[in-house]
Amino acid sequence: MRFTLNGLGQDIPADWADEPLLVLLREHIGLTGAKFGCGVGICGACTIIVDGAATRACMIRSGDIEGLNVRTIEGLADADSLHPVQQAWLDLGVPQCGYCQAGQIMAAVALLEETPDPSEDDIDAAMDGNLCRCGTYPRIRAAIARASERV
């Protein structure tokens, strides 16, 4: 089985097909940006982008992504600069503990790719379900608004 991961072809070993995609990414491939939080798709710490949609990596089997395009936080920046969402996160000092931030950023990227000029309601709807124990929601919203000016 084969899929595209951060722009590169990647094979899924047959014995990993029934594992959650989060486990494949972290344990087999070594990409640890997506975090294990709840394991049931409600916290958003493991959010990645699959074929353009924000997706909880803990809720999709590795074998179900055959032929799909997967992006993780490790695939956002290029050699010269951070993704505009990552830069906005730094500019506004969004992270506190940082555990949820990769999932928050990936959900924000998916939103801005679908809705480049989101309203506050669009931001709230897209980010609903991405939990932050530290309560940095106002800074998250502000960073998404700032990034929308640069995307």
Side-chain angles (χ1 to χ4, degrees), residues 58-146:
C58 71
M59 297 301 297
I60 185 170
R61 288 175 354 116
S62 296
D64 292 338
I65 61 162
E66 185 172 9
L68 302 182
N69 184 9
V70 174
R71 276 192 298 160
T72 67
I73 190 113
E74 292 89 349
L76 287 185
D78 61 34
D80 299 321
S81 61
L82 293 174
H83 185 280
V85 173
Q86 292 171 308
Q87 189 61 57
W89 243 247
L90 289 177
D91 291 347
L92 297 179
V94 173
Q96 193 162 320
C97 85
Y99 197 82
C100 70
Q101 296 307 302
Q104 299 277 2
I105 289 170
M106 295 308 288
V109 168
L111 164 66
L112 293 177
E113 288 177 350
E114 184 176 316
T115 308
D117 187 22
S119 67
E120 286 186 23
D121 289 340
D122 293 332
I123 293 171
D124 288 344
M127 301 307 290
D128 186 43
N130 279 74
L131 305 179
C132 175
R133 289 173 46 134
C134 302
T136 64
Y137 300 113
R139 293 192 309 250
I140 290 168
R141 283 188 207 95
I144 294 169
R146 178 174 287 190

Side-chain angles (χ1 to χ4, degrees), residues 3-8 49-52 65-71:
F3 70 107
T4 302
L5 176 62
N6 297 328
L8 300 172
I49 299 174
V50 177
D51 278 357
I65 61 162
E66 185 172 9
L68 302 182
N69 184 9
V70 174
R71 276 192 298 160

